[in-house]
């Protein structure tokens, strides 16, 4: 048995049981299940391969040991668990260096199925403010990741 856990539309694999925690628009051959507990689709020692491609908001560090233990029980004696993920520290570095755009960052953090809507950075705000003729009078950083900006009309 081959499992593809928490997949998105672009990650559907032929020959695998493809799963998702929520329905995927336009895709019918996806089994709905919680990636943390796959007992309903796979018995212990049954999987020859498990693929996991979670966005950062799905596989939580607080669940990691328990989830890895659960998936490990599902692997047969020659089974392989393949996990691909975006490293939050690398994402932070890319953002700090300005070498990634917001849409790509959003996809890395929230996954491709989530509508692009909730990521913002200072350069994007500055560009938008210029476009609508607002002046940035001050920028403060109340915490390491929080930005506070004061804008006025030009």
């Amino acid at each position: 048995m081959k499992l593809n856990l928490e997949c998105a539309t672009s990650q559907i694999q032929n020959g695998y049981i493809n799963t998702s925690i929520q329905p995927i628009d336009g895709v019918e051959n996806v089994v709905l299940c919680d990636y943390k507990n796959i007992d309903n689709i796979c018995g212990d020692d049954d999987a020859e391969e498990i693929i996991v491609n979670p966005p950062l908001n799905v596989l939580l560090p607080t669940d990691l040991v328990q989830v890895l233990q659960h998936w490990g029980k599902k692997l047969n004696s020659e089974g392989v668990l393949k996990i691909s993920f975006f490293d939050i520290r690398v994402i932070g570095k890319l953002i700090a260096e300005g070498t990634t755009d917001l849409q790509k960052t959003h996809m890395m953090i929230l996954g491709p199925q989530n509508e692009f809507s909730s990521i913002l950075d200072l350069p994007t705000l500055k560009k938008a403010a210029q476009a609508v003729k607002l002046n940035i009078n001050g920028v403060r950083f109340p915490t390491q990741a929080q930005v506070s900006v004061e804008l006025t009309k030009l």
Side-chain angles (χ1 to χ4, degrees), residues 124-151:
T124 301
L125 179 65
K126 286 180 178 180
K127 186 176 179 180
Q130 289 172 345
V132 297
K133 297 188 180 0
L134 289 175
N135 185 46
I136 295 179
N137 289 336
V139 177
R140 293 183 305 112
F141 299 91
T143 66
Q144 283 184 319
Q146 184 182 12
V147 180
S148 181
V149 180
E150 292 181 12
L151 303 121

Side-chain angles (χ1 to χ4, degrees), residues 7 9 12-13 16 22-23 26-27 41 63 74 79 87 92 95 98 100-101 108 116 124 129 144:
C7 56
T9 306
I12 299 297
Q13 299 278 336
Y16 288 75
Q22 61 188 5
V27 179
I41 58 170
D63 298 333
K74 302 303 175 187
D87 185 309
I95 292 168
T100 186
D101 64 39
M108 287 187 283
F116 177 62
T124 301
Q144 283 184 319

Side-chain angles (χ1 to χ4, degrees), residues 64-136:
L64 195 55
V65 171
Q66 178 184 350
V67 172
L68 287 175
Q69 183 178 37
H70 179 69
W71 292 338
K73 287 180 183 178
K74 302 303 175 187
L75 294 172
N76 64 27
S77 61
E78 296 180 19
V80 178
L81 173 61
K82 298 177 179 179
I83 303 174
S84 297
F85 64 98
F86 291 103
D87 185 309
I88 191 65
R89 293 179 192 274
V90 174
I91 293 170
K93 183 179 178 197
L94 293 172
I95 292 168
E97 293 171 348
T99 56
T100 186
D101 64 39
L102 288 185
Q103 194 157 1
K104 185 173 182 179
T105 302
H106 183 276
M107 189 278 305
M108 287 187 283
I109 295 173
L110 299 176
Q113 291 172 228
N114 293 292
E115 195 173 312
F116 177 62
S117 62
S118 62
I119 302 288
L120 182 62
D121 67 358
L122 189 54
T124 301
L125 179 65
K126 286 180 178 180
K127 186 176 179 180
Q130 289 172 345
V132 297
K133 297 188 180 0
L134 289 175
N135 185 46
I136 295 179

Side-chain angles (χ1 to χ4, degrees), residues 17-59:
I17 296 173
N18 294 288
T19 75
S20 180
I21 201 163
Q22 61 188 5
I24 301 173
D25 291 338
V27 179
E28 295 180 15
N29 61 340
V30 172
V31 176
L32 297 180
C33 82
D34 183 351
Y35 70 93
K36 294 179 194 175
N37 185 343
I38 57 173
D39 287 337
N40 62 329
I41 58 170
C42 184
D44 290 353
D45 302 314
D46 283 347
E48 66 181 271
E49 185 175 344
I50 300 174
I51 297 173
V52 189
N53 294 295
L56 289 177
N57 67 332
V58 172
L59 185 56

